Amino acid sequence: MGYLVGLFLYAVAAAIALPTPVELFLPFYPEVSPFLKAAVLGLGKGVGAIAVFFVGKYVNNWLERWSARHPRGRRVLDVLEAFVRKTGWIGLLVLLAIPLMSDTAVNYFYSLLNREGQAVSRWRFVLANVVGGVIRALIFLWIIPL
């Protein structure tokens, strides 16, 4: 039980701030079902995603003001925002399902460049994190059999 709580808290922290992959703790306790590990990891990533979404929403306002004063920066942000709009929550889910990918970087990329939540709604952002986390854990545990 303590292992699953630790895995959950680590997944929350990895989604919010830790630059390390969430898979680090999956090989421990091989007697715990891979599906249970994947579900706990996905739920932790979902909780962390809620915080990241709101941080991105508030920082986006600052980013918009900054880019209004820096035309070159605005052009770069326009390209990146177009990528987020084009790929939406499916793109976020796919990136988060890749084993060893940085959750933190992907989450902040999508939340900061998600102008007013237009490209990815809050609930789709959270759902992409949960589902992406579950898929990622299962892929990792399938590749690295215990």
Side-chain angles (χ1 to χ4, degrees), residues 12-20 45 52 96 101-111 129 136:
V12 171
I16 296 171
L18 296 179
T20 54
K45 287 178 52 53
V52 172
L96 291 172
M101 175 71 77
S102 170
D103 298 339
T104 311
V106 171
N107 273 332
Y108 281 104
F109 177 75
Y110 269 81
S111 71
N129 268 269
R136 175 185 190 155

Side-chain angles (χ1 to χ4, degrees), residues 10 14 18-25 41 99-103 136:
Y10 183 76
L18 296 179
T20 54
V22 293
E23 293 87 355
L24 292 178
F25 289 108
L41 188 137
L100 304 177
M101 175 71 77
S102 170
D103 298 339
R136 175 185 190 155

Side-chain angles (χ1 to χ4, degrees), residues 7 32 49 53 71-72 81 99 101 112 117 119 122 124 129 132 142:
L7 181 63
V32 175
F53 186 86
R72 278 185 253 174
E81 284 177 351
M101 175 71 77
L112 290 173
R122 175 182 46 194
R124 285 188 172 173
N129 268 269
W142 177 68

Side-chain angles (χ1 to χ4, degrees), residues 45-129:
K45 287 178 52 53
V47 169
I50 294 168
V52 172
F53 186 86
F54 285 111
V55 168
K57 183 177 178 183
Y58 291 110
V59 173
N60 181 275
N61 294 330
W62 174 86
L63 201 54
E64 292 297 323
R65 287 191 306 272
W66 175 86
S67 66
R69 295 186 313 266
H70 298 87
R72 278 185 253 174
R74 174 77 264 162
R75 285 193 296 273
V76 170
L77 288 177
D78 285 344
V79 169
L80 296 174
E81 284 177 351
F83 175 81
V84 169
R85 276 193 309 277
K86 182 174 177 128
T87 59
W89 70 277
I90 297 292
L92 176 62
L93 187 151
V94 168
L95 289 173
L96 291 172
I98 299 171
L100 304 177
M101 175 71 77
S102 170
D103 298 339
T104 311
V106 171
N107 273 332
Y108 281 104
F109 177 75
Y110 269 81
S111 71
L112 290 173
L113 299 171
N114 186 18
R115 192 179 306 194
E116 298 297 320
Q118 292 173 355
V120 182
S121 71
R122 175 182 46 194
W123 294 114
R124 285 188 172 173
F125 188 85
V126 172
L127 181 64
N129 268 269

Side-chain angles (χ1 to χ4, degrees), residues 27-42:
F28 297 110
Y29 295 93
E31 65 274 8
V32 175
S33 163
F35 296 104
L36 182 57
K37 288 180 181 182
V40 167
L41 188 137

